[in-house]
Amino acid sequence: MSGEKQGALLLRKQLTDLNKNGAEGFSAGLIDDENLFKWELMIVGPPETFYEGGLFKAHLYFPKEYPHRPPKMRFISEFWHPNVHKDGEVCISILHEPGEDKYGYEHASERWLPVHTVETILMSVISMISDPNDESPANVDAAVSCFAL
């Protein structure tokens, strides 16, 4: 079985599981029913944060090599956060390519691993929203305003 077909089967199973079991803090579905590699997400702003009560749309784009390579995530809704680039791209360790970080900021165990699922990715994103990483901000302006509070 080709890697792309394996990835598609895995993504179909994850989508089915999420829809059957539900998940707290987000919902997920396909952007286009014909393409399992492009997902649309709705994330609920976590309680006791600046984002509380907000609904934020994001897209998750999976590479053909999934699960061996990480997806990319981008907020479609405007989202001002230290760990989200100004264009909406999410910058968290588990979405970084697997292996050692050439800059030494992250351990390989913090980066992408094939065991991650859509649910673990989104739980990490919700955690990131609640507790920004100020050591390596993707959006310096947001970091300055966020940590000045």
Side-chain angles (χ1 to χ4, degrees), residues 1-13:
M1 178 181 308
S2 77
E4 186 176 337
K5 284 189 179 185
Q6 249 181 337
L9 286 172
L10 185 56
L11 288 170
R12 181 169 308 285
K13 180 183 181 336

Side-chain angles (χ1 to χ4, degrees), residues 68-116:
H68 302 289
R69 293 198 47 234
K72 299 272 186 218
M73 184 173 170
R74 182 177 310 279
F75 277 95
I76 304 306
S77 300
E78 191 172 326
F79 202 79
W80 183 254
H81 189 279
N83 306 118
V84 176
H85 291 278
K86 291 180 181 179
D87 68 358
E89 186 174 343
V90 174
C91 182
I92 58 173
S93 298
I94 70 163
L95 294 180
H96 293 162
E97 291 291 335
E100 291 298 323
D101 177 14
K102 65 182 177 182
Y103 302 109
Y105 290 117
E106 303 166 330
H107 296 286
S109 62
E110 298 172 309
R111 296 166 71 90
W112 179 256
L113 296 169
V115 297
H116 287 300

